[in-house]
């Protein structure tokens, strides 16, 4: 395959990219709903706002969209985007844990663990979607 055809095969239409990001959001939201239900069943407080749909659906949308933008920037600007993303994605997920650790008083251990699992689930689902609609090369 020539370099030109490799570059062309790696490009996706904006509609395909938007559809892939939207599907990542939907799947992530469904998995987060399951995690929230399981978190409550395991003892997370019923009034813990981050485990309520308006909170996690909004933050899931924000995270998936921000991740897609970041993925696109790295994809375009890095000489070795695969290597950079292999380090960057886990680092961003770990940094995203920080606000959750301030929720122990309100959400107790079970609620916070559910939130941490939500971050990981969204990252796993989103990265798989980005690899399909925003391939690295």
């Amino acid at each position: 395959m020539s370099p030109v055809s490799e570059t062309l095969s790696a490009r996706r239409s904006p509609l395909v990219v938007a559809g892939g990001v939207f599907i990542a959001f939907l799947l992530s939201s469904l998995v987060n709903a399951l995690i929230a239900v399981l978190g409550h069943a395991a003892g997370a407080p019923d009034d813990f706002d981050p485990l309520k749909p308006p909170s996690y659906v909004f933050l899931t949308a924000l995270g998936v969209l921000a991740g897609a933008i970041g993925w696109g920037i790295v994809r375009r600007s890095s000489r070795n985007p695969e290597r950079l993303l292999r380090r960057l994605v886990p680092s961003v997920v770990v940094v995203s844990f920080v606000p959750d650790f301030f929720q122990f008083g309100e959400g107790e251990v079970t609620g916070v663990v559910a939130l941490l699992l939500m971050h990981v689930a969204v990252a796993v689902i989103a990265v798989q979607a980005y690899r399909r609609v925003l391939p690295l090369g």
Side-chain angles (χ1 to χ4, degrees), residues 30-110:
L30 288 172
V31 170
N32 283 346
L34 178 62
I35 292 170
V37 167
L38 293 173
H40 286 301
D46 289 334
D47 62 345
F48 186 44
D49 285 339
L51 291 183
K52 293 182 178 177
S55 288
Y56 66 75
V57 169
F58 172 74
L59 292 172
T60 298
L62 195 63
V64 170
L65 186 57
I69 291 168
W71 186 278
I73 290 169
V74 168
R75 180 178 176 242
R76 285 192 188 128
S77 63
S78 176
R79 285 186 178 171
N80 190 345
E82 180 81 31
R83 181 175 171 213
L84 178 58
L85 287 166
R86 203 173 308 127
R87 294 178 182 185
L88 187 61
V89 170
S91 299
V92 169
V93 172
V94 169
V95 169
S96 77
F97 290 165
V98 172
D100 296 346
F101 291 122
F102 293 102
Q103 301 287 330
F104 276 111
E106 185 183 337
E108 301 173 6
V109 173
T110 310

Side-chain angles (χ1 to χ4, degrees), residues 4 10 21 36 109:
V4 172
V21 171
V109 173

Side-chain angles (χ1 to χ4, degrees), residues 28 31-32 35 89-90 93-94 96-97 100 113-127:
S28 295
V31 170
N32 283 346
I35 292 170
V89 170
V93 172
V94 169
S96 77
F97 290 165
D100 296 346
V113 168
L115 291 178
L116 298 176
L117 289 173
M118 286 178 168
H119 288 262
V120 173
V122 170
V124 168
I125 292 166
V127 165

